[in-house]
Amino acid sequence: MAAVSALAMTGAHADVTEEDLANDQATTSSVLTNGMGRDQQRYSPLKIINKDNVKNVVPAWAFSLGGEKQRGQETQPLIYDGVMYITGSYSRLYAIDVKTGEEIWQYDARLPEGILPCCDVVNRGAAIFGDKIYFGTLDARIVALDLKTGDVVWRKKIADYKAGYSYTAAPVIVNGLVITGNSGGEFGIVGEVQARDAETGELVWTRPVIEGHMGTFKGEDSTMTGTLNATWPGDLWKTGGGATWLGGTYDQDTNTLVFGAGNPAPWNSWLRGAGNPSGTEGDNLYAASRIGINPENGDIKWHYQTTPREGWDFDGVNEVIPFVDAEGNQRYATADRNGYFYILNREDGAFVNAWPFVKQISWADGIGEDGRPNFVEANRPGDPSKAADGKKGEVVFAVPSFLGGKNWMPMAHNPDTGLFYVPSNEWGMDIWNEPITYKKGAAYLGSGFTIKPIFEDYIGSLKAIDPNSGEIKWEHKNNAPLWGGVMTTAGGLVFTGMPEGQFKAFDADTGEELWSFQTGSGIVGQPITWDMDGEQYIAIASGWGGAVPLWGGEVAKKVNYLNQGGSIWVFKLPKQLASSN
């Protein structure tokens, strides 16, 4: 339900068009998409704020997200026609006057009892098209709201929340279709991408990402995903996981949606045939993969599996960003949870190269020329059926931890420096396998784990990576794990937030810290920037939460002093300095 303040908008909005979305990165007065452009480079051509003057940046206004629901603010704001739209935890959405910080309206999804979000009550953003704004809810629904009033236009069910499904990502909009993934990989759900008519919410196509499942197009069966039982034993594909929980990239030059698929279910790889070191029988396609999809009908165009025979919860969902390499080749870059930074061919997703971007990796000794990992079999959690008690397999210490060398938090690419700026973490885990059987709505892991630090002085690490060589050009270390997104600008800057509450700006070339502001709570949100009335503004959500406090083991204990919260901070240069640039 939307609560509308006295500031409710009365003027007419110009409808947002497909052309507007296509030009989002270049249009500096608005931010219409998650990623500041559908290619998700998170780069702005603005340079009013730059290396020379960023030290003078000050708050313009702040907005509280209110009440007892102040945690896990992983959102990215959107800016359109004088309004900031921001999602909050527990599936809420706010419209805020972008000049004053005053609330215009608020929508609360009023969630049912019994929702099953694995990794906190987060929401990562919304999407704008036409005269509507679209966002997902923790009970696995997609909602379209009127931009002016916050009233519900339509509300559709993605999947059954009682079976463990939820939805936390920002939708992607392409040619009048609202495209969503799903969440719930720890509950034996089946990952899927869905496309709906933006005006009516009616389903146009579906694409399950686990082999053996049938896609649909306009209500009829279309094509099967993969080949039944090619890489899955028995009926395990029916509850095979692969949640598409981080949303996707749209590459308009190749007309391709690129979605990542999460971990196969259950975690216990021996049950899925993945303990077999020969052949591809236990690869469990298309879990732990990047998948190129035709946005018109949902057909799979290509796939690349980063972690076949996955056994450590190395989801393959991380964003895939198009870029041009030093030789002029069209490429994709993606930093995987498994600790490797991958380069793929943009036309067909074919493997080009991969390098480690974390200091230690124990599960594989590099990536072969064929794109398959060189597995270290001794680092696979043991088969519980061979244990003396038949209940707990051999414990191994694996690096990275299951929360990844990089988790959900998006990296950024600056075409001026040619570098990618990757929020990473250096940690490991004790992990072991256990027997498990599927039960609807119950956790479906078959593994136990404890996350541990591997270095005494830091866990988080912001790294600048050269995609032509894999070289780490600079690194900024942080005591607590990084869990927020990154943005970069033509002003030669990189912005990101710290769990300790500081919002920071770095020199994009050298990594020198140039500015910092304490927001009062840990930052796990995604920064944006825009210009208005000749001034450049920067915004970030503050509010510690997410997966680390819930799943972080010894690391969670180490950072249990961090304060939760919920606020939006907006910054700019003082007026006299802005006018001199």
PDB file of all heavy atoms in Angstrom, residues 9-43:
ATOM      1  N   MET A   9       3.182  14.313  -6.308  1.00  0.00           N
ATOM      2  CA  MET A   9       3.424  14.989  -7.579  1.00  0.00           C
ATOM      3  C   MET A   9       2.119  15.253  -8.319  1.00  0.00           C
ATOM      4  O   MET A   9       1.247  14.394  -8.394  1.00  0.00           O
ATOM      5  CB  MET A   9       4.349  14.131  -8.437  1.00  0.00           C
ATOM      6  CG  MET A   9       5.739  13.970  -7.842  1.00  0.00           C
ATOM      7  SD  MET A   9       6.751  12.809  -8.779  1.00  0.00           S
ATOM      8  CE  MET A   9       6.032  11.253  -8.240  1.00  0.00           C
ATOM      9  N   THR A  10       2.017  16.439  -8.867  1.00  0.00           N
ATOM     10  CA  THR A  10       0.823  16.796  -9.629  1.00  0.00           C
ATOM     11  C   THR A  10       1.132  17.010 -11.104  1.00  0.00           C
ATOM     12  O   THR A  10       0.253  16.963 -11.938  1.00  0.00           O
ATOM     13  CB  THR A  10       0.189  18.073  -9.060  1.00  0.00           C
ATOM     14  OG1 THR A  10       1.173  19.121  -9.063  1.00  0.00           O
ATOM     15  CG2 THR A  10      -0.282  17.843  -7.627  1.00  0.00           C
ATOM     16  N   GLY A  11       2.397  17.277 -11.431  1.00  0.00           N
ATOM     17  CA  GLY A  11       2.772  17.498 -12.824  1.00  0.00           C
ATOM     18  C   GLY A  11       2.807  16.207 -13.618  1.00  0.00           C
ATOM     19  O   GLY A  11       2.841  15.115 -13.067  1.00  0.00           O
ATOM     20  N   ALA A  12       2.829  16.318 -14.944  1.00  0.00           N
ATOM     21  CA  ALA A  12       2.836  15.142 -15.814  1.00  0.00           C
ATOM     22  C   ALA A  12       4.270  14.677 -16.051  1.00  0.00           C
ATOM     23  O   ALA A  12       5.160  15.484 -16.305  1.00  0.00           O
ATOM     24  CB  ALA A  12       2.174  15.478 -17.138  1.00  0.00           C
ATOM     25  N   HIS A  13       4.465  13.373 -15.937  1.00  0.00           N
ATOM     26  CA  HIS A  13       5.734  12.762 -16.310  1.00  0.00           C
ATOM     27  C   HIS A  13       5.744  12.493 -17.803  1.00  0.00           C
ATOM     28  O   HIS A  13       4.738  12.100 -18.390  1.00  0.00           O
ATOM     29  CB  HIS A  13       5.899  11.403 -15.605  1.00  0.00           C
ATOM     30  CG  HIS A  13       6.460  11.497 -14.236  1.00  0.00           C
ATOM     31  ND1 HIS A  13       7.741  11.924 -13.986  1.00  0.00           N
ATOM     32  CD2 HIS A  13       5.930  11.180 -13.032  1.00  0.00           C
ATOM     33  CE1 HIS A  13       7.970  11.873 -12.681  1.00  0.00           C
ATOM     34  NE2 HIS A  13       6.885  11.433 -12.088  1.00  0.00           N
ATOM     35  N   ALA A  14       6.885  12.688 -18.453  1.00  0.00           N
ATOM     36  CA  ALA A  14       7.076  12.149 -19.796  1.00  0.00           C
ATOM     37  C   ALA A  14       7.424  10.677 -19.646  1.00  0.00           C
ATOM     38  O   ALA A  14       8.260  10.310 -18.833  1.00  0.00           O
ATOM     39  CB  ALA A  14       8.206  12.893 -20.500  1.00  0.00           C
ATOM     40  N   ASP A  15       6.753   9.828 -20.397  1.00  0.00           N
ATOM     41  CA  ASP A  15       6.988   8.398 -20.272  1.00  0.00           C
ATOM     42  C   ASP A  15       8.428   8.046 -20.644  1.00  0.00           C
ATOM     43  O   ASP A  15       8.981   8.573 -21.619  1.00  0.00           O
ATOM     44  CB  ASP A  15       6.041   7.614 -21.178  1.00  0.00           C
ATOM     45  CG  ASP A  15       4.615   7.587 -20.646  1.00  0.00           C
ATOM     46  OD1 ASP A  15       4.382   8.159 -19.560  1.00  0.00           O
ATOM     47  OD2 ASP A  15       3.750   7.001 -21.310  1.00  0.00           O
ATOM     48  N   VAL A  16       9.014   7.135 -19.874  1.00  0.00           N
ATOM     49  CA  VAL A  16      10.359   6.641 -20.165  1.00  0.00           C
ATOM     50  C   VAL A  16      10.272   5.636 -21.301  1.00  0.00           C
ATOM     51  O   VAL A  16       9.457   4.701 -21.274  1.00  0.00           O
ATOM     52  CB  VAL A  16      10.984   5.987 -18.913  1.00  0.00           C
ATOM     53  CG1 VAL A  16      12.304   5.315 -19.260  1.00  0.00           C
ATOM     54  CG2 VAL A  16      11.180   7.036 -17.825  1.00  0.00           C
ATOM     55  N   THR A  17      11.113   5.806 -22.307  1.00  0.00           N
ATOM     56  CA  THR A  17      11.064   4.989 -23.513  1.00  0.00           C
ATOM     57  C   THR A  17      12.233   4.008 -23.568  1.00  0.00           C
ATOM     58  O   THR A  17      13.206   4.117 -22.802  1.00  0.00           O
ATOM     59  CB  THR A  17      11.108   5.875 -24.759  1.00  0.00           C
ATOM     60  OG1 THR A  17      12.393   6.527 -24.817  1.00  0.00           O
ATOM     61  CG2 THR A  17      10.002   6.930 -24.723  1.00  0.00           C
ATOM     62  N   GLU A  18      12.161   3.079 -24.508  1.00  0.00           N
ATOM     63  CA  GLU A  18      13.280   2.167 -24.759  1.00  0.00           C
ATOM     64  C   GLU A  18      14.532   2.950 -25.134  1.00  0.00           C
ATOM     65  O   GLU A  18      15.651   2.605 -24.713  1.00  0.00           O
ATOM     66  CB  GLU A  18      12.913   1.173 -25.870  1.00  0.00           C
ATOM     67  CG  GLU A  18      14.053   0.318 -26.385  1.00  0.00           C
ATOM     68  CD  GLU A  18      14.614  -0.649 -25.369  1.00  0.00           C
ATOM     69  OE1 GLU A  18      13.911  -0.966 -24.382  1.00  0.00           O
ATOM     70  OE2 GLU A  18      15.773  -1.096 -25.561  1.00  0.00           O
ATOM     71  N   GLU A  19      14.375   4.029 -25.897  1.00  0.00           N
ATOM     72  CA  GLU A  19      15.527   4.865 -26.253  1.00  0.00           C
ATOM     73  C   GLU A  19      16.159   5.492 -25.019  1.00  0.00           C
ATOM     74  O   GLU A  19      17.386   5.583 -24.907  1.00  0.00           O
ATOM     75  CB  GLU A  19      15.097   5.958 -27.234  1.00  0.00           C
ATOM     76  CG  GLU A  19      16.249   6.814 -27.719  1.00  0.00           C
ATOM     77  CD  GLU A  19      15.819   7.879 -28.718  1.00  0.00           C
ATOM     78  OE1 GLU A  19      14.597   7.995 -28.972  1.00  0.00           O
ATOM     79  OE2 GLU A  19      16.696   8.596 -29.238  1.00  0.00           O
ATOM     80  N   ASP A  20      15.324   5.923 -24.070  1.00  0.00           N
ATOM     81  CA  ASP A  20      15.852   6.477 -22.820  1.00  0.00           C
ATOM     82  C   ASP A  20      16.698   5.439 -22.077  1.00  0.00           C
ATOM     83  O   ASP A  20      17.772   5.754 -21.550  1.00  0.00           O
ATOM     84  CB  ASP A  20      14.714   6.940 -21.914  1.00  0.00           C
ATOM     85  CG  ASP A  20      13.947   8.121 -22.477  1.00  0.00           C
ATOM     86  OD1 ASP A  20      14.555   8.926 -23.216  1.00  0.00           O
ATOM     87  OD2 ASP A  20      12.743   8.227 -22.187  1.00  0.00           O
ATOM     88  N   LEU A  21      16.213   4.210 -22.019  1.00  0.00           N
ATOM     89  CA  LEU A  21      16.953   3.153 -21.342  1.00  0.00           C
ATOM     90  C   LEU A  21      18.264   2.859 -22.056  1.00  0.00           C
ATOM     91  O   LEU A  21      19.300   2.642 -21.413  1.00  0.00           O
ATOM     92  CB  LEU A  21      16.105   1.883 -21.252  1.00  0.00           C
ATOM     93  CG  LEU A  21      14.787   1.982 -20.480  1.00  0.00           C
ATOM     94  CD1 LEU A  21      14.090   0.628 -20.456  1.00  0.00           C
ATOM     95  CD2 LEU A  21      15.009   2.483 -19.051  1.00  0.00           C
ATOM     96  N   ALA A  22      18.221   2.847 -23.388  1.00  0.00           N
ATOM     97  CA  ALA A  22      19.420   2.564 -24.167  1.00  0.00           C
ATOM     98  C   ALA A  22      20.497   3.624 -23.947  1.00  0.00           C
ATOM     99  O   ALA A  22      21.695   3.334 -24.026  1.00  0.00           O
ATOM    100  CB  ALA A  22      19.069   2.461 -25.648  1.00  0.00           C
ATOM    101  N   ASN A  23      20.084   4.857 -23.659  1.00  0.00           N
ATOM    102  CA  ASN A  23      21.022   5.966 -23.491  1.00  0.00           C
ATOM    103  C   ASN A  23      21.269   6.313 -22.024  1.00  0.00           C
ATOM    104  O   ASN A  23      21.799   7.384 -21.727  1.00  0.00           O
ATOM    105  CB  ASN A  23      20.491   7.203 -24.225  1.00  0.00           C
ATOM    106  CG  ASN A  23      20.433   7.012 -25.721  1.00  0.00           C
ATOM    107  OD1 ASN A  23      21.302   6.363 -26.292  1.00  0.00           O
ATOM    108  ND2 ASN A  23      19.410   7.575 -26.352  1.00  0.00           N
ATOM    109  N   ASP A  24      20.919   5.425 -21.127  1.00  0.00           N
ATOM    110  CA  ASP A  24      20.953   5.763 -19.699  1.00  0.00           C
ATOM    111  C   ASP A  24      22.351   6.151 -19.226  1.00  0.00           C
ATOM    112  O   ASP A  24      22.509   7.110 -18.466  1.00  0.00           O
ATOM    113  CB  ASP A  24      20.424   4.589 -18.870  1.00  0.00           C
ATOM    114  CG  ASP A  24      20.181   4.963 -17.418  1.00  0.00           C
ATOM    115  OD1 ASP A  24      19.859   6.140 -17.153  1.00  0.00           O
ATOM    116  OD2 ASP A  24      20.311   4.092 -16.545  1.00  0.00           O
ATOM    117  N   GLN A  25      23.388   5.412 -19.643  1.00  0.00           N
ATOM    118  CA  GLN A  25      24.729   5.736 -19.166  1.00  0.00           C
ATOM    119  C   GLN A  25      25.171   7.125 -19.603  1.00  0.00           C
ATOM    120  O   GLN A  25      25.795   7.862 -18.832  1.00  0.00           O
ATOM    121  CB  GLN A  25      25.736   4.694 -19.652  1.00  0.00           C
ATOM    122  CG  GLN A  25      27.139   4.936 -19.098  1.00  0.00           C
ATOM    123  CD  GLN A  25      28.153   3.925 -19.592  1.00  0.00           C
ATOM    124  OE1 GLN A  25      28.586   3.959 -20.740  1.00  0.00           O
ATOM    125  NE2 GLN A  25      28.511   2.984 -18.733  1.00  0.00           N
ATOM    126  N   ALA A  26      24.833   7.516 -20.826  1.00  0.00           N
ATOM    127  CA  ALA A  26      25.279   8.801 -21.365  1.00  0.00           C
ATOM    128  C   ALA A  26      24.436   9.976 -20.883  1.00  0.00           C
ATOM    129  O   ALA A  26      24.888  11.124 -20.934  1.00  0.00           O
ATOM    130  CB  ALA A  26      25.261   8.751 -22.897  1.00  0.00           C
ATOM    131  N   THR A  27      23.208   9.712 -20.406  1.00  0.00           N
ATOM    132  CA  THR A  27      22.306  10.777 -19.973  1.00  0.00           C
ATOM    133  C   THR A  27      22.549  11.051 -18.493  1.00  0.00           C
ATOM    134  O   THR A  27      22.105  10.310 -17.625  1.00  0.00           O
ATOM    135  CB  THR A  27      20.844  10.382 -20.211  1.00  0.00           C
ATOM    136  OG1 THR A  27      20.682  10.005 -21.581  1.00  0.00           O
ATOM    137  CG2 THR A  27      19.912  11.530 -19.888  1.00  0.00           C
ATOM    138  N   THR A  28      23.255  12.118 -18.188  1.00  0.00           N
ATOM    139  CA  THR A  28      23.738  12.341 -16.825  1.00  0.00           C
ATOM    140  C   THR A  28      22.705  12.936 -15.889  1.00  0.00           C
ATOM    141  O   THR A  28      22.924  12.986 -14.676  1.00  0.00           O
ATOM    142  CB  THR A  28      24.976  13.248 -16.854  1.00  0.00           C
ATOM    143  OG1 THR A  28      24.628  14.487 -17.495  1.00  0.00           O
ATOM    144  CG2 THR A  28      26.113  12.584 -17.619  1.00  0.00           C
ATOM    145  N   SER A  29      21.572  13.401 -16.410  1.00  0.00           N
ATOM    146  CA  SER A  29      20.564  14.032 -15.552  1.00  0.00           C
ATOM    147  C   SER A  29      19.617  13.019 -14.902  1.00  0.00           C
ATOM    148  O   SER A  29      18.792  13.397 -14.073  1.00  0.00           O
ATOM    149  CB  SER A  29      19.750  15.045 -16.354  1.00  0.00           C
ATOM    150  OG  SER A  29      19.087  14.392 -17.433  1.00  0.00           O
ATOM    151  N   SER A  30      19.712  11.752 -15.293  1.00  0.00           N
ATOM    152  CA  SER A  30      18.837  10.731 -14.727  1.00  0.00           C
ATOM    153  C   SER A  30      19.606   9.426 -14.549  1.00  0.00           C
ATOM    154  O   SER A  30      20.675   9.233 -15.140  1.00  0.00           O
ATOM    155  CB  SER A  30      17.617  10.499 -15.630  1.00  0.00           C
ATOM    156  OG  SER A  30      18.027  10.056 -16.917  1.00  0.00           O
ATOM    157  N   VAL A  31      19.046   8.540 -13.735  1.00  0.00           N
ATOM    158  CA  VAL A  31      19.535   7.167 -13.589  1.00  0.00           C
ATOM    159  C   VAL A  31      18.293   6.286 -13.622  1.00  0.00           C
ATOM    160  O   VAL A  31      17.505   6.262 -12.673  1.00  0.00           O
ATOM    161  CB  VAL A  31      20.306   6.954 -12.270  1.00  0.00           C
ATOM    162  CG1 VAL A  31      20.771   5.501 -12.159  1.00  0.00           C
ATOM    163  CG2 VAL A  31      21.498   7.905 -12.173  1.00  0.00           C
ATOM    164  N   LEU A  32      18.109   5.574 -14.728  1.00  0.00           N
ATOM    165  CA  LEU A  32      16.869   4.832 -14.958  1.00  0.00           C
ATOM    166  C   LEU A  32      17.010   3.331 -14.732  1.00  0.00           C
ATOM    167  O   LEU A  32      15.998   2.629 -14.640  1.00  0.00           O
ATOM    168  CB  LEU A  32      16.377   5.070 -16.392  1.00  0.00           C
ATOM    169  CG  LEU A  32      16.127   6.530 -16.789  1.00  0.00           C
ATOM    170  CD1 LEU A  32      15.769   6.602 -18.265  1.00  0.00           C
ATOM    171  CD2 LEU A  32      15.026   7.141 -15.934  1.00  0.00           C
ATOM    172  N   THR A  33      18.244   2.839 -14.680  1.00  0.00           N
ATOM    173  CA  THR A  33      18.475   1.399 -14.647  1.00  0.00           C
ATOM    174  C   THR A  33      19.441   1.024 -13.540  1.00  0.00           C
ATOM    175  O   THR A  33      20.293   1.827 -13.132  1.00  0.00           O
ATOM    176  CB  THR A  33      19.069   0.906 -15.982  1.00  0.00           C
ATOM    177  OG1 THR A  33      20.340   1.541 -16.186  1.00  0.00           O
ATOM    178  CG2 THR A  33      18.148   1.216 -17.151  1.00  0.00           C
ATOM    179  N   ASN A  34      19.334  -0.203 -13.081  1.00  0.00           N
ATOM    180  CA  ASN A  34      20.332  -0.734 -12.161  1.00  0.00           C
ATOM    181  C   ASN A  34      21.635  -0.923 -12.916  1.00  0.00           C
ATOM    182  O   ASN A  34      21.664  -1.526 -13.991  1.00  0.00           O
ATOM    183  CB  ASN A  34      19.853  -2.074 -11.587  1.00  0.00           C
ATOM    184  CG  ASN A  34      20.765  -2.578 -10.498  1.00  0.00           C
ATOM    185  OD1 ASN A  34      21.643  -3.387 -10.739  1.00  0.00           O
ATOM    186  ND2 ASN A  34      20.560  -2.080  -9.291  1.00  0.00           N
ATOM    187  N   GLY A  35      22.722  -0.373 -12.372  1.00  0.00           N
ATOM    188  CA  GLY A  35      24.008  -0.424 -13.054  1.00  0.00           C
ATOM    189  C   GLY A  35      24.360   0.856 -13.780  1.00  0.00           C
ATOM    190  O   GLY A  35      25.395   0.943 -14.425  1.00  0.00           O
ATOM    191  N   MET A  36      23.441   1.888 -13.698  1.00  0.00           N
ATOM    192  CA  MET A  36      23.669   3.165 -14.378  1.00  0.00           C
ATOM    193  C   MET A  36      23.855   2.944 -15.882  1.00  0.00           C
ATOM    194  O   MET A  36      24.730   3.520 -16.516  1.00  0.00           O
ATOM    195  CB  MET A  36      24.873   3.889 -13.770  1.00  0.00           C
ATOM    196  CG  MET A  36      24.683   4.265 -12.315  1.00  0.00           C
ATOM    197  SD  MET A  36      26.200   4.798 -11.495  1.00  0.00           S
ATOM    198  CE  MET A  36      26.733   6.121 -12.568  1.00  0.00           C
ATOM    199  N   GLY A  37      23.025   2.097 -16.447  1.00  0.00           N
ATOM    200  CA  GLY A  37      23.112   1.652 -17.826  1.00  0.00           C
ATOM    201  C   GLY A  37      22.925   0.145 -17.839  1.00  0.00           C
ATOM    202  O   GLY A  37      23.397  -0.548 -16.942  1.00  0.00           O
ATOM    203  N   ARG A  38      22.234  -0.365 -18.850  1.00  0.00           N
ATOM    204  CA  ARG A  38      21.897  -1.792 -18.828  1.00  0.00           C
ATOM    205  C   ARG A  38      23.096  -2.706 -19.018  1.00  0.00           C
ATOM    206  O   ARG A  38      23.006  -3.907 -18.764  1.00  0.00           O
ATOM    207  CB  ARG A  38      20.822  -2.088 -19.874  1.00  0.00           C
ATOM    208  CG  ARG A  38      19.450  -1.532 -19.479  1.00  0.00           C
ATOM    209  CD  ARG A  38      18.370  -1.851 -20.488  1.00  0.00           C
ATOM    210  NE  ARG A  38      18.626  -1.263 -21.797  1.00  0.00           N
ATOM    211  CZ  ARG A  38      17.731  -1.220 -22.779  1.00  0.00           C
ATOM    212  NH1 ARG A  38      16.524  -1.722 -22.593  1.00  0.00           N
ATOM    213  NH2 ARG A  38      18.030  -0.673 -23.945  1.00  0.00           N
ATOM    214  N   ASP A  39      24.259  -2.127 -19.448  1.00  0.00           N
ATOM    215  CA  ASP A  39      25.469  -2.937 -19.517  1.00  0.00           C
ATOM    216  C   ASP A  39      26.172  -3.031 -18.155  1.00  0.00           C
ATOM    217  O   ASP A  39      27.161  -3.741 -18.014  1.00  0.00           O
ATOM    218  CB  ASP A  39      26.429  -2.403 -20.569  1.00  0.00           C
ATOM    219  CG  ASP A  39      26.884  -0.970 -20.294  1.00  0.00           C
ATOM    220  OD1 ASP A  39      26.548  -0.410 -19.235  1.00  0.00           O
ATOM    221  OD2 ASP A  39      27.580  -0.405 -21.160  1.00  0.00           O
ATOM    222  N   GLN A  40      25.670  -2.282 -17.171  1.00  0.00           N
ATOM    223  CA  GLN A  40      26.120  -2.361 -15.784  1.00  0.00           C
ATOM    224  C   GLN A  40      27.591  -1.991 -15.588  1.00  0.00           C
ATOM    225  O   GLN A  40      28.241  -2.477 -14.661  1.00  0.00           O
ATOM    226  CB  GLN A  40      25.839  -3.748 -15.196  1.00  0.00           C
ATOM    227  CG  GLN A  40      24.361  -4.052 -15.088  1.00  0.00           C
ATOM    228  CD  GLN A  40      24.019  -5.074 -14.022  1.00  0.00           C
ATOM    229  OE1 GLN A  40      24.616  -5.086 -12.941  1.00  0.00           O
ATOM    230  NE2 GLN A  40      23.070  -5.931 -14.303  1.00  0.00           N
ATOM    231  N   GLN A  41      28.115  -1.106 -16.402  1.00  0.00           N
ATOM    232  CA  GLN A  41      29.496  -0.660 -16.177  1.00  0.00           C
ATOM    233  C   GLN A  41      29.633   0.212 -14.928  1.00  0.00           C
ATOM    234  O   GLN A  41      30.726   0.355 -14.391  1.00  0.00           O
ATOM    235  CB  GLN A  41      30.020   0.108 -17.394  1.00  0.00           C
ATOM    236  CG  GLN A  41      30.318  -0.782 -18.587  1.00  0.00           C
ATOM    237  CD  GLN A  41      31.078  -0.039 -19.676  1.00  0.00           C
ATOM    238  OE1 GLN A  41      31.250   1.184 -19.642  1.00  0.00           O
ATOM    239  NE2 GLN A  41      31.558  -0.785 -20.651  1.00  0.00           N
ATOM    240  N   ARG A  42      28.545   0.837 -14.507  1.00  0.00           N
ATOM    241  CA  ARG A  42      28.559   1.731 -13.338  1.00  0.00           C
ATOM    242  C   ARG A  42      29.616   2.822 -13.496  1.00  0.00           C
ATOM    243  O   ARG A  42      30.351   3.155 -12.574  1.00  0.00           O
ATOM    244  CB  ARG A  42      28.753   0.932 -12.038  1.00  0.00           C
ATOM    245  CG  ARG A  42      27.611  -0.050 -11.829  1.00  0.00           C
ATOM    246  CD  ARG A  42      27.718  -0.893 -10.572  1.00  0.00           C
ATOM    247  NE  ARG A  42      26.634  -1.872 -10.581  1.00  0.00           N
ATOM    248  CZ  ARG A  42      25.416  -1.683 -10.105  1.00  0.00           C
ATOM    249  NH1 ARG A  42      25.146  -0.528  -9.521  1.00  0.00           N
ATOM    250  NH2 ARG A  42      24.494  -2.606 -10.180  1.00  0.00           N
ATOM    251  N   TYR A  43      29.609   3.361 -14.694  1.00  0.00           N
ATOM    252  CA  TYR A  43      30.513   4.457 -15.054  1.00  0.00           C
ATOM    253  C   TYR A  43      29.683   5.667 -15.439  1.00  0.00           C
ATOM    254  O   TYR A  43      28.689   5.549 -16.167  1.00  0.00           O
ATOM    255  CB  TYR A  43      31.392   4.044 -16.227  1.00  0.00           C
ATOM    256  CG  TYR A  43      32.142   5.192 -16.879  1.00  0.00           C
ATOM    257  CD1 TYR A  43      33.324   5.660 -16.335  1.00  0.00           C
ATOM    258  CD2 TYR A  43      31.646   5.792 -18.039  1.00  0.00           C
ATOM    259  CE1 TYR A  43      34.009   6.715 -16.939  1.00  0.00           C
ATOM    260  CE2 TYR A  43      32.324   6.847 -18.650  1.00  0.00           C
ATOM    261  CZ  TYR A  43      33.505   7.304 -18.090  1.00  0.00           C
ATOM    262  OH  TYR A  43      34.173   8.349 -18.670  1.00  0.00           O
TER     263      TYR A  43
END
